[in-house]
Amino acid sequence: MTLCFGRDICGDRAAVTQREWLITNGIGGYGCGTLAGVLTRRYHGLLVAALNPPLDRTLLVSQVNETVTYLGCSYDLHTNHWADGSLQPLGYYHLESFRLEGTIPIWVYALGDARLEKRLWMEPGANTTYVRYTVTRASEPLTLTVKVLLNYRNHHDQTAANGWQMDICPWHQGLKITPNAEARPFYLFSEMGPLQPAHTWYRGYHLALEADRGLNAQEDHLHGATATRPLGQGQSFTLVATTEADADPTGQTALLRRLAYEQRLLDLWPQPAPMNPATPWPRQLVLAADQFIVNRTVKGTPGKTIIAGYPWFGDWGRDTMIALPGLTLATGRAAVARPILYTFAQYLDQGMLPNVFPEAGQTPHYNTVDATLWYFEALRAYLQATDDLGLIEQLFPALQQVITWHHKGSRHHIHLDPVDGLLYAGEPGVQLTWMDAKVDDWVVTPRIGKPIEVNALWYNALLVMQQFARRLGQPHSLYQDLVEQTRQGLQRFWNPDLGYCYDLLDGPDGHDITLRPNQIFAVTLPDPTLGPAALPLEQQKAVVDMVAQVLVTSHGVRSLDPAHPDYQGHYGGDPRQRDGAYHQGTAWSWLLGAFAQAHWRVYQDADLAHSFLEPLIQHLQGGCVGTLSEIFDGDAPHAPRGAFAQAWSVAEVLRVSAKLGPLLRG
């Protein structure tokens, strides 16, 4: 697989506009856009800075408009979609190729007999984006003119100019921009002479994907600076956009730092042997995994967390714990896993981890029943990979409190049923499982009762605690008794008439026979090193076969049986329509990892299990190039939807790949 596109893709308006790119900085900031350069989302921009890492993400630089003058001809390289419906100029016509080198997007423009290369990257650990242009072929010098489009808003919002005046003034080798009296200044630098300030609002950009999402689809951006440079063959020009007043303006040294950073990531990865050099996708996913790992300071102590997805998600408790084994352990970065696990332990409250950290304010939201249970599985995987019993010993008292809270009862009626040893959770108006869509007061899939994946996770957590207690020389009889009771209680989920598991027991309307993918986790959990499986083998096989035949698609696992009257095969429309489809038929890519693992556990055929992942791996060439999308339509052709880069989607392919082994050898 080569992540490189030629004229067949670059010259096709739909193909070059639908595909996107992503750059990140490890503190929550990012840049993203389309291969064509057309702004189609409110989140598109060259510099979306995390002003309060990893959140408070603010669009600072939205676009650069480039024009090249060469041999008497003028070439516009940018493309804009305007509110009147026009698409002009058509800069993608000059785009000869696009490729990724690691995570660095590179455009190559053909201009007569000249060729101009543009690449973008971010400085690790800083809100700094570099845009570097290099003339790789020309019979005489060309002149490059770059207009920089600015903004200053939360990345979820949109801007209307309305007479807004920014203060743009000279600053060393560039410009200092102060959007308003309360704003944090940011800067533009050039390594080849001064930038010229400007102040002209470009009005009426049309954001096509926002229109598709039923949202405001028009925005204004400020032309705030211009650079004009003559460049001969082999010469380069670098533009720097940053919140750092002393950022390095030297493009070549900054590029070498970025390349060295990515090489260190690959050096840490425990590559399987033999590794087929013609199969580069695992290396690409290792680099993609790093894009989600970011800094978070907790109580004054630097730590780590995981961004759930780009462009709009922050760090979510559930997503972090599901994604952690794949993003860190499978990539040889256990040293990163440790501070993430420690960071989240600081937020345990009444036996629960927060589901989401708000963009504003410091009060986490405790509205998830499974994030804490996934935390136990992440700790188990970490201990298995590192044998770092010291961390487990440090956290063990807090883990004991988690079990105690679940035993006696926590928020939202989360409690252990003493009759069958199963966890009950839920109350009207609250969404607690991973199927958590909510529109105003409408909880789309409330799942009040005893969800199957929650109880598979509870059984797993009890076995994990039993293992931890034994390793630490602590009493473990309580966990042993609960393990046996829960294992027997799990048999209540089996429905012999349907040949698969109930999705939910003891709900307001009784047992839920709806065919959903959640029962996969009763096959994958617990890890065989811990104890007996949640279901006997013949039931595991029946579950795998039913999910394979009804729910599995090329790019994910459907969240609902297509025969169900509530099934929605297309994810789109306004927020209510989208959230109504989110877990009612939409296919989720992260579930393919668990499904492939379940299939392998039942059939013991790694190549066959791998075959379910292959189409998703091909998706690295579509959507956001080099990473994996969050969701896909349940109906063919299963178009990508939702966040264009999702942590647990990337993580689960990496995690299961490490388990299956042979698939990494192509």
Side-chain angles (χ1 to χ4, degrees), residues 77-415:
L77 308 187
H78 55 290
T79 305
N80 292 323
H81 192 178
W82 301 102
D84 64 4
S86 63
L87 194 74
Q88 59 177 333
L90 301 177
Y92 70 92
Y93 277 4
H94 306 299
L95 183 57
E96 186 174 76
S97 66
F98 174 90
R99 70 184 188 275
L100 280 188
E101 287 186 1
T103 65
I104 299 174
I106 301 172
W107 293 258
V108 177
Y109 295 94
L111 315 167
D113 68 345
R115 180 180 285 169
L116 179 70
E117 185 176 270
K118 178 178 81 171
R119 63 185 69 209
L120 290 173
W121 70 94
M122 297 189 85
E123 182 76 24
N127 288 312
T128 303
T129 296
Y130 289 88
V131 189
R132 184 167 174 83
Y133 302 88
T134 301
V135 178
T136 60
R137 187 180 67 205
S139 54
E140 65 178 61
L142 55 78
T143 299
L144 171 67
T145 299
V146 175
K147 296 181 178 180
V148 186
L149 281 295
L150 309 176
N151 213 310
Y152 192 90
R153 60 158 173 82
N154 184 283
H155 70 157
H156 296 305
D157 298 335
Q158 279 166 256
T159 293
N162 293 331
W164 182 4
Q165 292 288 313
M166 294 191 190
D167 181 23
I168 303 172
C169 63
W171 180 271
H172 301 305
Q173 288 181 269
L175 300 173
K176 177 181 180 181
I177 299 99
T178 307
N180 57 60
E182 293 76 31
R184 178 172 172 176
F186 62 99
Y187 306 87
L188 297 174
F189 296 123
S190 162
E191 64 181 340
M192 292 177 61
L195 298 165
Q196 298 301 314
H199 202 290
T200 303
W201 282 98
Y202 288 9
R203 303 170 190 269
Y205 286 84
H206 177 69
L207 307 176
L209 289 184
E210 301 303 325
D212 290 346
R213 298 172 70 220
L215 302 173
N216 177 24
Q218 189 166 323
E219 176 148 44
D220 303 335
H221 297 287
L222 176 67
H223 169 209
T226 302
T228 300
R229 300 288 185 270
L231 296 173
Q233 181 168 315
Q235 292 184 319
S236 298
F237 163 65
T238 303
L239 178 72
V240 187
T242 180
T243 61
E244 309 294 327
D246 57 352
D248 180 7
T250 311
Q252 185 60 25
T253 57
L255 178 60
L256 292 175
R257 286 196 302 272
R258 181 74 211 187
L259 294 173
Y261 173 81
E262 296 192 357
Q263 186 57 52
R264 288 194 295 272
L265 297 177
L266 294 172
D267 291 342
L268 290 169
W269 175 47
Q271 297 186 36
M275 179 72 193
N276 185 349
T279 310
W281 68 261
R283 292 187 289 272
Q284 192 64 51
L285 280 184
V286 168
L287 296 177
D290 179 68
Q291 294 182 312
F292 303 99
I293 299 171
V294 300
N295 297 340
R296 175 180 276 282
T297 297
V298 180
K299 299 176 182 177
T301 302
K304 294 285 185 180
T305 187
I306 290 172
I307 292 292
Y310 293 97
W312 45 67
F313 292 128
D315 47 342
W316 292 54
R318 175 189 297 117
D319 297 60
T320 294
M321 294 309 136
I322 292 173
L324 183 142
L327 297 187
T328 64
L329 304 180
T331 59
R333 301 180 70 187
V336 171
R338 195 183 204 277
I340 294 174
L341 293 167
Y342 181 81
T343 295
F344 272 81
Q346 311 311 302
Y347 290 100
L348 281 168
D349 186 87
Q350 295 186 34
M352 298 176 67
L353 282 179
N355 190 38
V356 61
F357 296 93
E359 287 276 354
Q362 298 300 316
T363 303
H365 296 168
Y366 290 88
N367 61 334
T368 167
V369 62
D370 54 339
T372 313
L373 303 178
W374 281 111
Y375 184 56
F376 281 84
E377 173 58 15
L379 284 168
R380 180 209 63 79
Y382 173 78
L383 182 63
Q384 184 180 60
T386 66
D387 203 36
D388 180 7
L389 199 58
L391 178 63
I392 306 304
E393 185 173 20
Q394 188 176 6
L395 299 179
F396 191 73
L399 300 178
Q400 289 177 304
Q401 285 297 308
V402 170
I403 301 298
T404 298
W405 273 106
H406 283 70
H407 194 280
K408 72 179 183 180
S410 186
R411 299 176 179 87
H412 310 306
H413 293 168
I414 297 171
H415 67 275

Side-chain angles (χ1 to χ4, degrees), residues 509-527:
D509 300 317
H511 303 339
D512 186 356
I513 64 171
T514 304
L515 177 60
R516 293 189 183 273
N518 304 303
Q519 58 193 297
I520 293 172
F521 297 105
V523 180
T524 61
L525 297 169
D527 187 85

Side-chain angles (χ1 to χ4, degrees), residues 526-610:
D527 187 85
T529 61
L530 292 176
L535 299 174
L537 183 58
E538 62 273 15
Q539 293 177 8
Q540 294 181 40
K541 183 178 184 298
V543 166
V544 167
D545 290 345
M546 181 62 71
V547 172
Q549 294 161 15
V550 179
L551 301 181
V552 168
T553 74
S554 299
H555 291 153
V557 182
R558 293 186 182 101
S559 46
L560 183 64
D561 181 352
H564 194 282
D566 293 336
Y567 174 79
Q568 301 288 324
H570 172 75
Y571 178 87
D574 62 29
R576 187 175 183 87
Q577 292 172 314
R578 283 184 279 115
D579 283 342
Y582 207 32
H583 301 106
Q584 297 287 66
T586 296
W588 289 76
S589 51
W590 79 279
L591 292 175
L592 266 184
F595 174 78
Q597 180 185 355
H599 195 282
W600 173 64
R601 180 165 290 186
V602 167
Y603 288 102
Q604 293 295 300
D605 187 328
D607 290 338
L608 196 60
H610 172 227

